[in-house]
Amino acid sequence: MIDTLRLTAEDAIGLVERKDVTASELHGSYLDAIAERDPELHCFLRTVDEPSGAGVPIALKDVISTKGVETTAGSRILAGYVPVFDSTVAARCKQAGLSLLGKTNTDEFAMGSSTENSAYGPSRNPWDPTRVPGGSGGGSAAAVSAGLTPWALGSDTGGSIKQPSALCGNVGLRPTYGTVSRYGIVAFASSLDQVGPVARTVRDCALLYSIIAGRDPRDATTVELPQTTTLPQDDRLDGLRIGIPNQLGDLTAIEPGVRSAFEKAIEHARELGAEVGECDLPLSFEYGMPCYYLVAPAEASSNLARYDGVRYGPRADGETYREMVERTRDDGFGAEPKRRIMLGTYALSAGYYDAFYGQAQKVRTLLVREHGDALARFDVIATPTSPTVAFPLGDKAADPLAMYACDLLTIPSCLAGLPGLNIPCGLSDGLPVGLQLIGAQFGENTLFRAGHALEQAIGFDTVPARLRRPGTNGAA
Ligand code: GLN
């Protein structure tokens, strides 16, 4: 019997390699954990009974197409859709021997910050089930924290890996745009979407990134990594230059408890030998969100046009083709995708294109430059990941703008195409606080090095307090 709560993927791989457990016993132990804890947390939309590989299990966010396994993107409009092919990331996991444990819950089409927009009901935070796990990849993040999978994949358009990792107290990487294939990923906003790992440790996160990253002939936006991914070992940060944006001081949205955990993490970085200085991102925090909420819905309005009742999922009745399509889309999409399709269509329409979409593209270029200037002087930029800790279910569900503000700190670097790593850096009122480290393009190794050293120094216990049991440590 394996205790999955504290098991890292690296340890799990060791157990399988030494033949201490079989892949099928391990798969079974995670299914047992899911049976015990997932009725409360609802991280999984569906599980897979038999192991598909000889290695350790993995959970995939339900926007990731899996051959023969239903893939709904958290939407009714894709109910019953069973892909006949694997996404490239799912195929790479298979090639590495990873075994699909199940598909995790997500806000519909990855639009949201709490999983409350899932058509299949919200997930809950393992630290406090009355609170959200973040989103859109709340299912993957909560599953890792609750020991329901050793690791998982999410997708991040404006924060959907980093923010749920912050709220659930684990490690999440949004990779450099173009390093991970989007082939077979249900598209939200194609110039922003990136798949990335969620894990219990930075080393697990780096290992999973090395499995999924690299050029894919099926996605023309991917590139070969300029360097191989290295598993971090270093406990020191000597010579690492960390920039803190001056603008953080003025952001009243950042809760005091989040601010103080962030400041303590920066203290740790100084003690480890890092050089900490100030940088400037004046446009990012002012215009990042409005820019994102034009670019992302514009791309979404085009990407979601394919759901017409002909190609995928359920079809509504109608006298005419037009009536059938209208009813299918009306029944199939929830409120948030509808809102974004309308916003995006408006921003792209003749007469408004220059004022909205065109203008947002220009702002995006300025954000790219502003990050480039800061990263010419610093190796990483550090901010809190989320301005708040996990909030109660229902708190922001009726107020789209309050929900959008959850990504204030994660969005700007996404627009700039840069990698970002969340690591847990402490607690505020018993709930995890996340530290966001942003790197230069292809700077993943630097993020892993910094994240690993800080992780050792901070010593955060990733097992949610209410799930801790005396004497549990890996195999029992
Ligand atoms: N919360 C943001 C949104 O709703 C980001 C989502 C994401 O990264 N997929 O668009």
Side-chain angles (χ1 to χ4, degrees):
M1 186 50 197
I2 308 288
D3 179 13
T4 60
L5 255 178
R6 264 181 208 285
L7 199 60
T8 65
E10 246 188 316
D11 289 341
I13 291 167
L15 291 177
V16 174
E17 279 177 0
R18 287 192 307 274
K19 300 201 178 359
D20 288 343
V21 295
T22 64
S24 127
E25 282 165 351
L26 198 57
H27 195 94
S29 298
Y30 282 101
L31 288 180
D32 289 346
I34 292 168
E36 185 187 329
R37 294 191 280 281
D38 209 44
E40 180 180 46
L41 300 174
H42 193 228
C43 303
F44 283 88
L45 293 178
R46 66 203 68 82
T47 52
V48 178
D49 288 342
E50 292 301 322
S52 49
V56 305
I58 188 163
L60 303 179
K61 185 180 179 184
D62 207 31
V63 298
I64 299 173
S65 297
T66 41
K67 185 175 177 177
V69 179
E70 189 187 4
T71 301
T72 66
S75 182
R76 262 196 315 273
I77 213 163
L78 277 171
Y81 168 60
V82 179
V84 293
F85 70 108
D86 268 323
S87 56
T88 296
V89 290
R92 288 196 180 183
C93 288
K94 253 183 205 171
Q95 275 155 23
L98 303 186
S99 171
L100 179 63
L101 200 52
K103 305 295 292 290
T104 57
N105 199 11
T106 166
D107 284 297
E108 189 174 357
F109 288 101
M111 297 170 179
S113 301
S114 69
T115 73
E116 291 166 293
N117 293 337
S118 168
Y120 304 100
S123 301
R124 288 167 182 271
N125 192 309
W127 291 78
D128 175 354
T130 68
R131 292 173 187 262
V132 303
S136 63
S140 282
V144 170
S145 281
L148 309 185
T149 181
W151 51 13
L153 289 181
S155 68
D156 190 298
T157 305
S160 282
I161 293 174
K162 298 182 283 184
Q163 185 259 12
S165 278
L167 269 43
C168 291
N170 53 39
V171 180
L173 172 76
R174 175 204 163 83
T176 303
Y177 185 82
T179 61
V180 179
S181 171
R182 287 179 295 107
Y183 177 75
I185 307 305
V186 177
F188 165 9
S190 308
S191 77
L192 290 154
D193 298 344
Q194 274 297 275
V195 170
V198 185
R200 205 172 265 292
T201 66
V202 176
R203 282 176 62 91
D204 280 359
C205 184
L207 186 57
L208 187 48
Y209 178 65
S210 73
I211 292 171
I212 60 169
R215 199 179 96 78
D216 175 14
R218 292 188 165 118
D219 175 355
T221 62
T222 55
V223 290
E224 211 52 78
L225 300 189
Q227 70 272 314
T228 52
T229 303
T230 47
L231 290 194
Q233 335 224 357
D234 218 357
D235 286 345
R236 295 282 309 167
L237 289 180
D238 298 295
L240 188 88
R241 299 164 303 165
I242 301 180
I244 317 272
N246 281 316
Q247 287 70 25
L248 289 185
D250 300 331
L251 296 177
T252 50
I254 303 177
E255 290 175 350
V258 169
R259 215 178 265 284
S260 69
F262 171 72
E263 281 161 7
K264 277 189 203 128
I266 299 304
E267 245 349 278
H268 278 297
R270 279 206 186 87
E271 283 159 19
L272 295 174
E275 296 164 24
V276 180
E278 293 173 356
C279 65
D280 265 310
L281 296 173
L283 301 176
S284 289
F285 301 117
E286 185 153 9
Y287 299 114
M289 282 216 318
C291 174
Y292 173 88
Y293 278 101
L294 288 168
V295 173
E299 293 183 19
S301 70
S302 162
N303 275 328
L304 270 53
R306 74 190 70 176
Y307 303 105
D308 56 2
V310 177
R311 283 169 283 196
Y312 312 87
R315 176 184 307 173
D317 288 335
E319 290 294 307
T320 61
Y321 169 75
R322 191 190 168 97
E323 207 174 273
M324 181 280 288
V325 173
E326 278 177 2
R327 283 192 192 154
T328 298
R329 288 169 69 82
D330 191 25
D331 295 350
F333 288 130
E336 191 60 30
K338 282 179 183 161
R339 179 158 35 239
R340 300 210 188 185
I341 290 168
M342 285 190 282
L343 271 172
T345 308
Y346 182 78
L348 288 173
S349 55
Y352 295 101
Y353 181 99
D354 289 337
F356 293 110
Y357 183 73
Q359 189 71 5
Q361 292 289 39
K362 291 178 192 163
V363 172
R364 187 172 186 179
T365 301
L366 296 178
L367 298 189
V368 171
R369 286 195 197 139
E370 174 168 290
H371 279 81
D373 289 346
L375 288 162
R377 292 175 45 230
F378 294 99
D379 301 304
V380 301
I381 299 170
T383 72
T385 305
S386 160
T388 71
V389 293
F391 46 91
L393 269 95
D395 238 25
K396 303 182 200 259
D399 183 352
L401 287 182
M403 194 66 89
Y404 296 172
C406 295
D407 294 307
L408 172 69
L409 301 167
T410 50
I411 277 177
S413 59
C414 295
L415 285 165
L418 300 174
L421 180 73
N422 174 77
I423 65 162
C425 69
L427 295 173
S428 168
D429 291 332
L431 296 165
V433 175
L435 168 70
Q436 175 178 235
L437 300 174
I438 294 157
Q441 204 178 27
F442 309 118
E444 275 80 359
N445 281 338
T446 306
L447 294 184
F448 295 143
R449 176 190 161 216
H452 173 75
L454 280 166
E455 176 182 59
Q456 306 310 305
I458 293 168
F460 182 87
D461 187 347
T462 57
V463 178
R466 56 185 282 278
L467 298 179
R468 284 174 209 158
R469 292 187 289 245
T472 54
N473 207 351

